[in-house]
Amino acid sequence: MAPTSQQSDRSLLTLILDVSPATWGERDLKRTAQDRARLAANKRSVGPARIGDLLTSTVAFCLSFAALKRDNVVVVIGVADDEVAILYPRKGGSGRSSMGSVVHDPPDTVGGKVDARALNESVRLG
């Protein structure tokens, strides 16, 4: 079956985030050490980024993508060591997707737009 013009205009953005505790713990230790040294020299922090910074930027990026066109769809996948989870949209949750067959959402959620609150909560809470 050929896609209708409405279906062919949709864009799917899939983000895969490495949220491994070991990786981010190591980055946090490096940042803390560098911040102490820079603070002693009256300089501000320059990184590396903390996981909270990554999540804030990810949510902003996803919302910007969704704002480009109403039918744009976002899927955020979290990977930690040997575990994988879809962070957004949540199946059966308030995160809605307009590509139900891609993310296996129930039919009643098909056609919805990206929900900013659900995206923020899903990405931050995992």
Side-chain angles (χ1 to χ4, degrees):
M1 174 187 263
T4 65
S5 63
Q6 182 182 12
Q7 290 173 332
S8 64
D9 290 343
R10 295 178 178 168
S11 294
L12 171 65
L13 171 66
T14 304
L15 294 175
I16 302 172
L17 303 177
D18 178 3
V19 292
S20 301
T23 302
W24 286 98
E26 181 181 324
R27 290 174 65 94
D28 193 45
L29 290 174
K30 286 180 184 177
R31 167 100 179 238
T32 301
Q34 288 177 355
D35 284 354
R36 279 193 211 122
R38 294 186 64 78
L39 183 61
N42 289 326
K43 296 181 180 179
R44 65 183 190 93
S45 177
V46 293
R50 292 193 165 111
I51 193 154
D53 302 334
L54 169 77
L55 298 178
T56 299
S57 298
T58 299
V59 169
F61 176 71
C62 290
L63 293 176
S64 297
F65 175 77
L68 291 174
K69 188 169 185 178
R70 178 177 174 81
D71 290 335
N72 283 351
V73 180
V74 176
V75 175
V76 181
I77 300 170
V79 179
D81 300 324
D82 60 348
E83 296 181 36
V84 177
I86 295 177
L87 303 176
Y88 180 84
R90 295 278 188 177
K91 184 175 180 181
S94 60
R96 296 183 176 257
S97 167
S98 59
M99 295 183 81
S101 61
V102 174
V103 294
H104 309 292
D105 280 340
D108 62 328
T109 64
V110 175
K113 61 180 183 172
V114 173
D115 182 342
R117 181 177 296 132
L119 175 63
N120 189 26
E121 289 173 3
S122 295
V123 170
R124 289 197 176 278
L125 300 176

